[in-house]
Structure formats: structure tokens, C-alpha cells
Amino acid sequence: STSRRQRQMCIRDRLYGDVEPCSMCKRQIINAGIETVYIRVTSSDYRVIHVSDWVDNDESLTGSEGY
């Protein structure tokens, strides 16, 4: 069983603003079984993304974005 800590991703020491992973990275996150992604928006605020939303709205199926 994978621990909660192992299933969370964090990029430290840099604040890039309100960003989101590219389609390829989203696919890797989905395949890794990660359920929630936290994106730091400001030095004190975070945005929470539920990975199930990416699965439900998969842009690779519509051709609207992606590779």
C-alpha cells in the first residue's frame, strides 16, 4: 500500500503562480494513482485539484488540447 506522503507531489523553492500540469504530466499523475494535486498560487494560498476531474474531462478524448 502506498502511503499518503508517497502519493503527493511537491515542487519546492520556486513559486510559478497559478499553473497546471501539461497533458502528458496529467496522464502520469493519473496513472500513478494520485488523487489530489495541490498547486501553490501565492506564498500562502494553494489550489486543490481533484484528479478525478481530469479523468471526467479528458481533453485528449475531445482533441481540444494535448499532443
Side-chain angles (χ1 to χ4, degrees):
S1 172
T2 306
S3 74
R4 179 180 169 93
R5 184 180 182 132
Q6 290 172 319
R7 294 174 77 157
Q8 294 177 353
M9 296 176 64
C10 180
I11 300 173
R12 299 178 190 198
D13 300 328
R14 297 237 180 226
L15 181 58
Y16 293 100
D18 194 14
V19 298
E20 193 166 310
C22 70
S23 295
M24 192 180 314
C25 291
K26 285 181 184 180
R27 182 64 53 203
Q28 293 295 320
I29 291 168
I30 292 167
N31 290 342
I34 296 170
E35 297 175 358
T36 308
V37 174
Y38 300 89
I39 296 177
R40 189 175 194 175
V41 179
T42 68
S43 61
S44 61
D45 294 321
Y46 294 83
R47 184 165 54 106
V48 177
I49 297 176
H50 300 283
V51 175
S52 61
D53 292 342
W54 290 341
V55 175
D56 294 340
N57 302 302
D58 186 352
E59 70 241 1
S60 69
L61 297 177
T62 63
S64 62
E65 292 184 37
Y67 296 101

